[in-house]
Amino acid sequence: MPEVILEKVAKHYGQVVAVEDMTMNIADGEFIALLGPSGCGKTTTLRMLGGFVNATRGRIIVGGKDVTDLPPNRRNMGFVFQNYALFPHMTVAQNVAFGLKMRSVGKAETADRVRKALDRVRLSQYADRLPQQMSGGQQQRVALARALVIEPDVLLLDEPLSNLDAALRQEMKIEIRQLQQSLGLTTIFVTHDQDEAMSTSDRMVLMSNGKIEQVGPPDEVYNFPRSAFAAGFLGIPNLLPGALGNTDHASYHLDSGQVIRLAGQDPVPGASFLALRPDAISISSQAPSKNDNMLAGRVEIMTYHGAAVDYQVRLDTGAMLTARAVAPGLGGAPVLHQGTPVWLHWPPSAGVIVSKH
Amino acid sequence: MTVADMTINSAPRVAARKTRQRSRLPWLMSPALIFVIACLLFPLAMMLRYSLNHYDPAELMVSALTAENYLKFFSDSFYQEVLWRTVGISVLSTVICLVAGVPVAYFLARYTSALYKRVLLLLILVPLLIGNVVRTSAWMLILNDTGVLAAFLGLFGYTGRLNLMYTSTGVVIGLVSVLLPFMVITLNSVFEAIDHNLEDAASSLGAGHLTIMRQVVLPLALPGILAGSVLCLILAMNAYATPVLIGGPTFNMMAPIVYQQIAKAMNWPFGAALAFVLMAATLVMTIGVSAVVQNKYRKWSE
Amino acid sequence: MHANDRGDPVRLAYTTISMTVIGFIVLPLVFIIWMSFFSNKILSFPPEGYTLEWYARAWDLADFRDGFFLSMRMSLISTAISLVLGLPASFALARGRFPGRDAINTILMSPLMVPGIVSGGALFVFFLEIEFLTDVIIAGSSLGLIIAYSLIGLPWMVRLVTTSLIGVNPSIEEAARSLGAGPLTVFFRITLPVIKPGLIAGSLFAFVNAFIDLEKSLFLVGPDHTTLQIALLNYLEWTFDSTIGAVATVQIALVAALLIITDHYVKLSRAF
């Protein structure tokens, strides 16, 4: 039985629509990432799940029970806030014990469960410290422990990693995922970072302007975005406008005139773009083999990214494409300088047709 | 000329400019400082010295070094009564202000939009600038036997005397009305500073509203609660208009008798002693309240 | 504003309590204004009729009329003095780093910390001693009131202007210097306009607190030289009629107008 169901949930603030027609089934133990730019409604959705915001319409059902009208303190959900919201006047142990105190758990059992929770996040030796005396990463783990110790039905995380530095973010990402899997906890994680969403979730929910754009496992959404928005958000800067060929679905006619060969793409009706990953495009100063699709242009900007080199190429048609090549130091071709005439080419199977948005 | 030469040569000039700046500062401050020292601190010191003088009905004040004025205060039960009455009324008024002020300040911090809050704060601030005489005389209108409250109760058939004017109860009511804005404004800034997310976090962990207030908000607001309480205590102890107007000529509190002794009876030694007893009592209460509150704070976080 | 609309019964409770308490603070003033128009000879409720005679009567009474003008004059002059003394002091406090800065700040704030009745008494004694020594009359004259009111206004001015000054980004003055402005130009064209909220708020609070002062004025008024608040106090000793209401209403209107006008031009919340 699905653990969390959202049925046509909507939130309106007067005329402003924050969330519209949110419908989702989340399975027991599933890790869902709500991903999108700021203002897309992901945090509002999470806060509706937590009970901090009243839904204007729709129902929220957890474990078969309709919780739509329940206040936050009766939903038994673990909520981890973006700025951790640790009680500054209580020690780490007291913070973690708070939810148990609210449930009238006995002193001995509380102490035991708090100890186990702190062990799980490796903070046992900090039990008597105050939050202000801990680093950001440590505070985040305390917040996590506090939410988990109450054995919630659902774990809700509101951009928990955004205040951490890059290294900590990587570490905590893995830790959160491991904890979640070991506990089998249904989890909903809000983020604006597609890398975080992809590396942690079982399914990703891409949101924009209060609505769901696309739902699916990370590899599916990443490799097969369905709209220009999704493609753009997931890091595909190359969008060439055009239309499918009338007679077959093996060719794509770009607005700039060229015909591109397709192989195996799922056709999307209506106005569309051809979306190409920079790493799927090969760049060379020599003319490529005839099996590939190809476009000619000149290198405009070259940026070095450690393991890769990005080329911004101005096509003869006027559009700009980004191609990514392996760095010379790692076996790639020598760097091509600004102004060099080049060919961009890719196999027919690369590239996705996405709808216009 | 090398770079080294230039640096060495410019150093004294920079240093000179810095000392010029720094030496300008005393001049900027001295007029204000001299004014306060000459017109407040010096007269206060003079009063302190006078409190040790001797009062003579004929010569008024005779230079001496006697503690008789302070002894007179502590041995005469009349003055003891005045002091305890003042303390009692001040403490009671402050406690009522606290109980009434916390919900209002919290309401302003959490439940009002920016515009609404600005209007309400203005509404609370304006009475502060109206003056205690006017505000207290407004209460006389309400509390006396032919006033607003009597007429209101008359609607329900109550025709007896109100007996609020010239009583402690009336004075406390008047004082609370005068002091509340101070409490609300002090508390409001404290509640604003507390992170909203903390209350949501407590709620998500199962705490109902009263528990959230008790366990999260009030402990964190303690410094502000202390500041507001101390402020109200001080203002109440030194109140003049409310005790005189609502309490009446036979209702004695400390500030009115200080005035009577210094300006009417012209008994400066005794009046000065009374003034310093009042200040000392207020100081002792302030320190006491701070200590109690800080102690409670330690208990709360256990 | 928190995007949290849960807890309706809780919110209702807070709204009710708050409105009651705010009413408790504000209603007395509403009543005194209302009752200043009652035609009842003895101040009582309910109204027998309405009239403006109390206002005419208040104006006719020399104590109130002269008191009003005296209070205005004394408060204005003392506010100006507070500005002249306080503005440079605020500069030194806000910009300077020197030993004893905290002590000096405390000294300048001390008039706020000493009870009015005590400092009033001290000034009274001090002025009379000077009179005994030099035959110069201060207590009971304008000079006495001006000194006392300046003591009231100075800390308010210093506190509000210092707060404003601290909030000024020093880079804007440096930018002006780098563009060729001399120190006086920087002061008048850059700094002063930016600290306007503090100056206006400071002047407002200095003026009003002097105007409504009671405890210091008690000691420093004289025959034919009384302030409005003392006149009110004296009148209330013998009579209780709506003349009081008329005077009170005029004072309330004056202060409310000052506050609203000031708040419109200078968000008072920014000055604190």
Side-chain angles (χ1 to χ4, degrees):
Chain A
M1 170 134 198
E3 189 65 64
V4 178
I5 301 179
L6 289 147
E7 255 178 33
K8 288 196 175 345
V9 173
K11 180 64 190 173
H12 296 200
Y13 290 104
Q15 298 290 68
V16 177
V17 174
V19 176
E20 188 68 66
D21 205 16
M22 186 83 184
T23 303
M24 269 185 71
N25 283 13
I26 303 170
D28 184 10
E30 198 176 4
F31 191 121
I32 294 282
L34 292 181
L35 174 69
S38 41
C40 71
K42 55 191 194 295
T43 301
T44 309
T45 305
L46 196 76
R47 291 190 85 97
M48 282 197 279
L49 280 166
F52 301 112
V53 173
N54 278 351
T56 311
R57 268 205 304 273
R59 293 199 304 156
I60 300 171
I61 299 160
V62 176
K65 197 168 72 162
D66 186 336
V67 301
T68 321
D69 294 323
L70 279 184
N73 54 325
R74 298 233 295 272
R75 290 196 185 197
N76 198 34
M77 292 182 178
F79 203 105
V80 177
F81 293 81
Q82 189 172 359
N83 69 347
Y84 323 130
L86 296 179
F87 307 125
H89 58 302
M90 297 185 195
T91 63
V92 164
Q94 287 165 341
N95 262 280
V96 177
F98 189 85
L100 298 176
K101 206 157 103 165
M102 293 301 110
R103 287 158 174 75
S104 304
V105 173
K107 250 182 154 170
E109 193 187 334
T110 302
D112 185 55
R113 283 166 72 171
V114 166
R115 192 177 37 85
K116 291 211 181 86
L118 287 176
D119 283 342
R120 223 183 292 137
V121 294
R122 299 181 327 277
L123 286 176
S124 327
Q125 66 269 48
Y126 296 103
D128 294 319
R129 293 268 184 97
L130 289 175
Q132 303 86 286
Q133 299 168 317
M134 323 254 294
S135 71
Q138 289 168 332
Q139 288 183 14
Q140 213 249 30
R141 282 186 273 157
V142 175
L144 206 49
R146 184 176 69 177
L148 292 174
V149 79
I150 60 173
E151 285 161 19
D153 294 328
V154 184
L155 181 62
L156 304 171
L157 303 134
D158 186 3
E159 305 213 41
L161 305 177
S162 52
N163 289 347
L164 302 174
D165 63 61
L168 259 176
R169 224 180 289 155
Q170 295 290 35
E171 195 187 306
M172 286 310 300
K173 223 168 45 179
I174 298 170
E175 193 159 327
I176 291 175
R177 181 57 161 157
Q178 282 173 339
L179 270 170
Q180 182 264 341
Q181 279 178 325
S182 69
L183 293 170
L185 202 48
T186 310
T187 303
I188 299 155
F189 181 104
V190 161
T191 178
H192 59 269
D193 184 320
Q194 47 124 318
D195 184 59
E196 263 171 38
M198 287 199 297
S199 53
T200 53
S201 61
D202 294 316
R203 272 195 300 160
M204 267 168 51
V205 178
L206 186 58
M207 289 180 70
S208 162
N209 289 329
K211 293 210 171 82
I212 298 181
E213 280 273 329
Q214 193 169 345
V215 182
D219 58 341
E220 183 187 295
V221 178
Y222 180 79
N223 289 312
F224 302 106
R226 281 211 285 272
S227 66
F229 168 80
F233 197 81
L234 294 169
I236 306 179
N238 300 321
L239 295 168
L240 294 167
L244 274 176
N246 302 338
T247 44
D248 59 14
H249 290 156
S251 65
Y252 191 78
H253 299 247
L254 292 180
D255 286 354
S256 50
Q258 295 88 342
V259 178
I260 304 295
R261 280 198 318 261
L262 303 174
Q265 280 85 347
D266 206 1
V268 161
S272 58
F273 290 98
L274 174 68
L276 286 162
R277 297 215 149 267
D279 41 88
I281 304 178
S282 306
I283 185 170
S284 119
S285 43
Q286 266 95 40
S289 80
K290 293 271 173 22
N291 293 325
D292 277 356
N293 291 309
M294 61 185 84
L295 291 169
R298 279 179 186 278
V299 173
E300 198 157 292
I301 302 175
M302 184 269 302
T303 38
Y304 184 62
H305 285 288
V309 180
D310 276 356
Y311 293 100
Q312 310 254 55
V313 175
R314 175 75 65 187
L315 297 177
D316 293 343
T317 63
M320 188 88 103
L321 280 186
T322 306
R324 176 164 290 200
V326 176
L330 288 163
V335 159
L336 297 158
H337 294 290
Q338 193 182 25
T340 315
V342 290
W343 288 99
L344 295 181
H345 58 104
W346 63 94
S349 53
V352 191
I353 309 298
V354 300
S355 67
K356 242 188 189 127
H357 249 274
Chain B
M1 187 137 107
T2 67
V3 173
D5 290 337
M6 290 198 284
T7 344
I8 293 170
N9 285 338
S10 62
R13 211 177 296 137
V14 171
R17 198 188 318 131
K18 280 240 161 87
T19 20
R20 240 182 290 130
Q21 278 176 346
R22 220 173 288 143
S23 63
R24 229 186 284 147
L25 289 174
W27 293 113
L28 288 177
M29 280 187 311
S30 32
L33 263 182
I34 293 175
F35 177 65
V36 174
I37 293 175
C39 294
L40 182 66
L41 299 184
F42 180 71
L44 278 177
M46 212 169 83
M47 273 253 285
L48 186 59
R49 174 66 189 83
Y50 282 13
S51 72
L52 300 172
N53 282 348
H54 172 72
Y55 173 71
D56 178 88
E59 288 175 72
L60 286 186
M61 186 164 69
V62 172
S63 197
L65 258 180
T66 165
E68 66 188 34
N69 300 299
Y70 291 99
L71 288 175
K72 174 175 173 184
F73 178 83
F74 286 109
S75 58
D76 191 337
S77 63
F78 173 75
Y79 293 110
Q80 290 295 292
E81 209 184 287
V82 173
L83 181 61
W84 286 116
R85 187 179 303 126
T86 310
V87 169
I89 288 182
S90 302
V91 171
L92 182 58
S93 306
T94 302
V95 168
I96 295 176
C97 280
L98 203 48
V99 168
V102 165
V104 179
Y106 186 78
F107 173 75
L108 283 174
R110 292 283 183 270
Y111 290 117
T112 55
S113 67
L115 178 63
Y116 197 20
K117 190 189 336 234
R118 195 165 151 199
V119 169
L120 287 178
L121 274 175
L122 219 59
L123 221 52
I124 294 175
L125 203 78
V126 168
L128 276 186
L129 296 175
I130 298 290
N132 289 349
V133 180
V134 170
R135 293 167 79 190
T136 308
S137 59
W139 271 102
M140 292 166 77
L141 286 181
I142 300 177
L143 295 176
N144 76 12
D145 291 323
T146 56
V148 178
L149 190 56
F152 181 70
L153 291 174
L155 290 176
F156 300 103
Y158 180 80
T159 50
R161 304 198 69 195
L162 271 181
N163 258 335
L164 282 174
M165 282 292 286
Y166 314 119
T167 66
S168 306
T169 315
V171 173
V172 168
I173 293 176
L175 265 182
V176 167
S177 177
V178 162
L179 298 176
L180 263 173
F182 292 101
M183 181 68 84
V184 170
I185 288 178
T186 310
L187 288 176
N188 177 59
S189 56
V190 172
F191 284 134
E192 299 264 359
I194 297 177
D195 186 358
H196 298 225
N197 280 334
L198 293 175
E199 295 170 53
D200 282 347
S203 183
S204 77
L205 292 164
H209 182 75
L210 283 173
T211 310
I212 295 178
M213 288 301 278
R214 221 177 353 112
Q215 300 273 358
V216 181
V217 179
L218 290 179
L220 289 171
L222 225 39
I225 290 178
L226 182 60
S229 306
V230 165
L231 180 60
C232 287
L233 259 179
I234 293 176
L235 289 169
M237 287 289 285
N238 300 323
Y240 184 92
T242 310
V244 164
L245 288 176
I246 298 186
T250 55
F251 190 90
N252 291 303
M253 280 174 61
M254 287 299 284
I257 66 169
V258 168
Y259 170 71
Q260 279 158 25
Q261 289 298 318
I262 295 184
K264 294 283 180 225
M266 295 299 264
N267 182 346
W268 292 356
F270 188 54
L274 282 177
F276 282 98
V277 168
L278 175 59
M279 288 213 292
T282 311
L283 189 63
V284 165
M285 285 169 73
T286 303
I287 295 176
V289 168
S290 306
V292 165
V293 162
Q294 268 155 10
N295 199 323
K296 259 214 136 115
Y297 182 58
R298 246 171 266 125
K299 276 209 215 114
W300 247 321
S301 46
E302 273 136 43
Chain C
M1 167 89 179
H2 202 39
N4 183 346
D5 42 13
R6 280 248 161 227
D8 286 333
V10 174
R11 189 202 197 106
L12 188 62
Y14 273 106
T15 312
T16 316
I17 297 176
S18 302
M19 290 306 137
T20 311
V21 172
I22 294 178
F24 183 74
I25 296 173
V26 175
L27 276 180
L29 297 177
V30 171
F31 281 127
I32 203 170
I33 295 174
W34 188 17
M35 290 171 85
S36 70
F37 298 105
F38 286 8
S39 59
N40 311 26
K41 281 294 171 212
I42 304 172
L43 199 46
S44 57
F45 212 84
E48 290 157 16
Y50 290 98
T51 172
L52 280 177
E53 64 170 278
W54 302 111
Y55 287 86
R57 182 170 148 73
W59 184 253
D60 283 337
L61 286 171
D63 270 358
F64 288 140
R65 193 179 57 241
D66 297 338
F68 178 78
F69 288 117
L70 182 70
S71 292
M72 286 293 272
R73 274 202 317 275
M74 300 294 100
S75 307
L76 279 169
I77 296 174
S78 60
T79 303
I81 294 178
S82 305
L83 201 52
V84 167
L85 291 176
L87 186 52
S90 299
F91 256 91
L93 283 174
R95 299 287 167 84
R97 306 247 171 291
F98 47 89
R101 189 171 63 148
D102 281 338
I104 290 174
N105 189 40
T106 310
I107 293 178
L108 290 178
M109 291 296 122
S110 59
L112 286 177
M113 300 192 272
V114 179
I117 205 84
V118 173
S119 51
L123 277 173
F124 178 71
V125 167
F126 181 51
F127 291 156
L128 281 180
E129 290 289 42
I130 294 182
E131 193 179 325
F132 292 157
L133 282 172
T134 66
D135 274 340
V136 176
I137 299 181
I138 307 182
S141 77
S142 292
L143 183 58
L145 285 173
I146 290 174
I147 292 177
Y149 288 179
S150 301
L151 271 178
I152 294 175
L154 183 63
W156 280 107
M157 189 68 78
V158 169
R159 185 154 82 179
L160 290 170
V161 173
T162 310
T163 309
S164 218
L165 270 172
I166 289 177
V168 171
N169 181 0
S171 315
I172 63 173
E173 291 175 4
E174 288 165 0
R177 300 296 297 272
S178 78
L179 291 165
L184 269 161
T185 313
V186 171
F187 176 74
F188 281 107
R189 303 193 76 187
I190 307 289
T191 317
L192 217 51
V194 173
I195 62 171
K196 206 166 60 156
L199 285 173
I200 293 181
S203 304
L204 175 72
F205 276 79
F207 177 83
V208 176
N209 279 301
F211 193 86
I212 64 176
D213 172 74
L214 181 64
E215 285 91 359
K216 291 189 177 66
S217 312
L218 267 174
F219 290 95
L220 299 173
V221 292
D224 285 337
H225 198 266
T226 177
T227 69
L228 187 59
Q229 308 303 302
I230 303 294
L232 275 170
L233 200 63
N234 291 339
Y235 191 83
L236 280 166
E237 246 185 283
W238 308 108
T239 336
F240 191 58
D241 60 28
S242 288
T243 320
I244 298 293
V247 178
T249 305
V250 170
Q251 184 173 315
I252 293 171
L254 173 68
V255 172
L258 276 176
L259 261 185
I260 291 174
I261 294 173
T262 312
D263 189 72
H264 179 71
Y265 285 105
V266 171
K267 265 216 183 65
L268 283 175
S269 43
R270 236 192 286 142
F272 286 90

